[in-house]
Amino acid sequence: MPEPKSTFDETFPCEFYTPAELFEPDLMYTVPEIARLLQGLDADADVDPDTEAVLIDWAVPWVMVHAEDLVIAEPLEAEGPGYYGVASHAVEESGE
């Protein structure tokens, strides 16, 4: 159910990292790892399954919005996750 803004003590700007700001240029990440990074956590941080589900809900749209600045790789195992990394053009454009 929607809530009036007045219900909240404070609101914050909705700002997200760009792929060049979030990723190490030479690493590839799974969606759960991306989700942790978007929250300022280490990619391998231990989070409970319920929290991880919420974090992933934020990460999936972020991946879709930034698709042109990402590269993807097939899973390392048949049933494993896919991997995402920052595209070289995105790193060059950011000056990182």
Side-chain angles (χ1 to χ4, degrees):
M1 179 76 156
E3 294 288 339
K5 284 184 182 177
S6 61
T7 303
F8 303 93
D9 292 334
E10 190 173 3
T11 61
F12 307 94
C14 189
E15 298 173 350
F16 292 100
Y17 298 101
T18 66
E21 294 170 326
L22 193 64
F23 295 157
E24 291 294 326
D26 59 341
L27 296 178
M28 300 288 284
Y29 303 88
T30 65
V31 170
E33 292 168 339
I34 294 168
R36 289 176 180 88
L37 292 174
L38 285 168
Q39 295 299 314
L41 302 171
D42 290 334
D44 61 352
D46 188 32
V47 295
D48 66 80
D50 290 338
T51 299
E52 183 167 73
V54 171
L55 297 181
I56 289 172
D57 284 348
W58 283 77
V60 170
W62 182 90
V63 168
M64 294 172 66
V65 166
H66 292 287
E68 76 177 38
D69 290 334
L70 299 173
V71 295
I72 60 173
E74 294 290 328
L76 295 174
E77 301 169 0
E79 299 298 320
Y83 286 82
Y84 299 82
V86 62
S88 58
H89 75 266
V91 174
E92 292 164 6
E93 290 169 6
S94 74
E96 299 278 322

